[in-house]
Amino acid sequence: MASEYRTAAPSSDEEGAAPRPEDTASKSDARRRERRSRRYRRDIKWSPYAYIAPFFLFFAAFGLFPLLYTGWASLHRVELTAPTDMEWAGLHNYSRLLSDDFFWNALKNTFTIGIISTVPQLLMALGIAHLLNYRLRGSMFYRVAALTPYATSVAAATLVFALLFGRDYGMINWVFGLVGIDNIDWQNGDWTSQIAVSSIVIWRWTGYNALIYLAAMQSISHDLYESAALDGASRWRQFIHVTLPQLRPTILFTCVVSTIGAVQLFGEPLLFSGSGATGGPDHQYQTLGLYLYEQGWVNLHLGRASAIAWAMFLILLLIGAVNLLIARRLRKSEGAS
C-alpha cells in the first residue's frame, strides 16, 4: 500500500509566505497616517505665512512701491502731465524746499495747528475717560456717543463747522454777539482760522482717545486704589498718583498718534473755506498736506510734491525716534523705582 505524503502549508512566519490581508491594511494605514502627519507639519509651518501674505502683498503694492517711487521721483524734474519723462535733478527739489517760504509757512502752520488741536484734545479725552470710568447709568450710551464724532465723515464735519464759524451768519459769532463781542472773521484771520480748523480735529478725535484711555484705566488693578484710599488719598490724589502713572504708556501712544495725524492733516483745512489747497487767501492755515497737494495736483510739479512727501516722512521718522527715546527713559525710570 503506497504511503501518502502530505506537505503542510507554510506558516505566515516562514520566509516567502504570502502576507495576510490584515498586515497589508495596517501598512497602508501607517502610510496614510505618515502622509497626514507630513501634511500637518507642513500646514503648521507654512499656514501662518499664507495667512499674513495678503497684508504684505497689499503693503508692497500700495505702500512700499509708492514710497520708493516717490523717493525716486523726488530726485527728478517731472510733471504730472508726463510722469514718465524724468530729468535727473539730484537734491535740487530738497534744496528748493529749504529756501521756499511757503514750505516753512506750511510747516509752521502744521506745528501750531497740531499743538492747538492735540493738547486740548488729549486733556479733554483724559477727563471724559475718568468720568466714564465710574459706574454711571447708561454708560454704554455715553461711550457710543463719545465715539460718534469719529464715525462722522471729514467732509460732513468740516462743512458743519464752516457754517458754525461763518462770519455773518455763523452760530459762534451769534453767541459772541449776545455778550457784546463783534463778529470774528474766522476763515480769514491767522490765529482764528487755525483755531477753527483745530476745533474740527478736537471734535472728531476726543471721543476716540477717551475710549482708549478708558480701556487703559479699566485695566488698572483696584488694589492700588484701595491702598491709596486706606492711606487717606482723595479721588483727585488717586488720579494724580495712581491713574496717571499707570497711563504713561497709553498717553505716550496717543501723543504720538495724534502728532502723526497732525502732520498728515489734509481734509479739514481743504474743505474749511472752500479756497482749495492754498489754505486761505494768505496761506494762513495751509498745512504740509495741503502744500503737497498744491504742488502736485494744482501746479503739476510731481518732483516737488514727492520731495515734500519725503520731508513729511522724515518728520514722522523723527517723531518715532523721539517716541522710542521717551519710552526707553520711562522704562528705565520705572525699573529704577
Side-chain angles (χ1 to χ4, degrees), residues 69-89:
Y69 179 81
T70 302
W72 179 251
S74 67
L75 303 175
H76 294 78
R77 290 187 181 92
V78 54
E79 300 297 321
L80 188 63
T81 54
T84 58
D85 298 335
M86 293 186 176
E87 179 186 353
W88 178 259

Side-chain angles (χ1 to χ4, degrees), residues 180-222:
I181 300 176
D182 295 334
N183 288 351
I184 299 175
D185 192 358
W186 295 96
Q187 296 180 347
N188 295 322
D190 292 339
W191 284 99
T192 55
S193 61
Q194 294 184 13
I195 292 174
V197 172
S198 300
S199 65
I200 308 173
V201 181
I202 293 172
W203 182 81
R204 290 193 66 239
W205 291 96
T206 298
Y208 174 82
N209 289 312
L211 293 184
I212 293 179
Y213 288 148
L214 178 61
M217 288 180 182
Q218 291 181 344
S219 65
I220 300 175
S221 175
H222 290 283

